[in-house]
Amino acid sequence: MDQEFNGEKEQGAVHKAENAYWADKTKDVSYVNHLHFKGDKKWESCVVVVRGTMKFQEFSIMIKAGNKIIAYEEFSLLENEIKVLERSIGKAECIDVTGQLKSDGFFTAGGSIYVTCTYDPQGQYKSSTATWETDTDNRSSIDNLFLDDNQLWDKCEIYIEGHKDKSTGCLFTLISNGEIHKNGMVDWMELYDTESVTYTFEIKQKVSLIVAGYISNISFSGAGARITLTGYYQ
C-alpha cells in the first residue's frame, strides 16, 4: 500500500526531514554558518530556500555533500524575493550549506536561509563525537581530539568552524591506528569569521582516530575555531 509524505503519496517508505535556519544583516559581508547536517543518515534531497530581507542583497551559496560540491550559485535578491536551490543526494554523507551574504557597500543587506533535508529512516549510522575549541592571539595546538578504538569505524568527519570576528589559519592531520591516514594530511586553510568546512574520510577499521595540528592567528583580530571529530559505525 502506498504511504503518505507531506500530503503526497510516495512508493515504498515514509521519508523524514531535518531543518536548519540562518539569518543575518550586514553592511559588509556575513558568512553563512551552522547549516550542517551530519552524515549519519541516507539523505535523499536537500532544499535550500534563500530570501532577501532588505532592499537589495547579493548571495553566494554552495551545497556540499561529503567532499563533493553539488551546487554553487551567485545571485541577487530584492526584499522578500526568494531563490530555491534543490539537489538530490541519495547517499549517507554529510551535507553543508555555506556561502556569503553581501551588501552593495551603501545599504544594509539582509537575508534568511531555510534548509530542509529529507532522509530514509532505515539504515542509519550510530556515531561518537569529540570536540576541541579555543581562541588564540598566536598559535594553539589541537589537544585531546580523539576517538578510541572501541568501534569498527565505517567513516569519520572533521567539521571545522571559525569563530565570530576572528581570522583563523588551520593545519591538521588525521591519524588512524598510530599512522597518518592515506588522505589525512589536510593543506593549510584560512577561515574568516564563521566560515566552515567539513572533511570526510573512509576508515573501515576498528582503530583509534586522532586529529593533530594547530590553529594560528592570521590578522590583528586573533584566531578561534571549533573542531568536531565524528566517527560513524553500524
Side-chain angles (χ1 to χ4, degrees):
M1 180 180 294
D2 292 347
Q3 296 177 315
E4 291 187 355
F5 172 65
N6 287 343
E8 296 181 2
K9 289 188 175 181
E10 190 170 78
Q11 299 289 337
V14 175
H15 288 179
K16 295 185 177 181
E18 287 189 3
N19 303 298
Y21 179 78
W22 175 92
D24 201 6
K25 295 179 181 179
T26 182
K27 289 187 176 180
D28 187 16
V29 176
S30 178
Y31 294 92
V32 177
N33 59 0
H34 296 307
L35 301 180
H36 172 72
F37 297 78
K38 292 172 60 176
D40 59 345
K41 300 174 179 65
K42 183 182 178 182
W43 300 106
E44 298 298 333
S45 67
C46 178
V47 179
V48 181
V49 180
V50 186
R51 182 172 70 91
T53 59
M54 304 298 287
K55 289 184 177 180
F56 178 81
Q57 39 272 316
E58 298 175 346
F59 294 89
S60 59
I61 301 296
M62 180 172 70
I63 306 174
K64 189 176 179 182
N67 294 327
K68 183 179 180 182
I69 297 172
I70 60 173
Y72 178 82
E73 292 194 31
E74 297 181 356
F75 50 90
S76 300
L77 293 179
L78 301 176
E79 186 174 8
N80 293 323
E81 192 174 6
I82 290 175
K83 172 79 171 181
V84 178
L85 289 75
E86 182 173 4
R87 293 294 185 274
S88 297
I89 309 297
K91 294 182 180 179
E93 55 190 1
C94 67
I95 300 173
D96 287 282
V97 179
T98 61
Q100 296 180 3
L101 163 69
K102 295 176 284 187
S103 76
D104 61 2
F106 295 98
F107 300 102
T108 299
S112 66
I113 301 175
Y114 192 83
V115 184
T116 300
C117 293
T118 60
Y119 64 94
D120 184 342
Q122 300 184 16
Q124 297 184 55
Y125 283 104
K126 300 175 183 177
S127 64
S128 293
T129 297
T131 299
W132 174 87
E133 185 171 15
T134 196
D135 288 320
T136 182
D137 290 328
N138 297 297
R139 177 184 292 188
S140 183
S141 297
I142 300 169
D143 188 32
N144 290 324
L145 187 52
F146 68 92
L147 296 172
D148 291 327
D149 59 354
N150 55 4
Q151 301 293 343
L152 197 165
W153 306 112
D154 188 80
K155 60 181 179 178
C156 76
E157 292 172 1
I158 300 172
Y159 176 68
I160 306 171
E161 185 174 272
H163 282 178
K164 184 71 174 176
D165 299 324
K166 303 291 184 179
S167 297
T168 306
C170 182
L171 184 70
F172 76 85
T173 300
L174 175 64
I175 300 170
S176 60
N177 200 30
E179 299 180 350
I180 297 175
H181 187 277
K182 63 179 181 179
N183 299 314
M185 295 187 68
V186 176
D187 292 336
W188 174 261
M189 74 183 79
E190 296 182 353
L191 301 174
Y192 296 94
D193 203 77
T194 56
E195 282 187 303
S196 63
V197 63
T198 305
Y199 296 89
T200 302
F201 303 91
E202 185 179 272
I203 306 297
K204 304 291 186 183
Q205 295 183 73
K206 191 175 183 180
V207 295
S208 60
L209 301 173
I210 300 172
V211 177
Y214 63 88
I215 67 168
S216 181
N217 181 19
I218 57 174
S219 78
F220 65 88
S221 62
R226 178 182 177 90
I227 304 177
T228 302
L229 168 65
T230 302
Y232 297 98
Y233 60 97
Q234 299 288 345

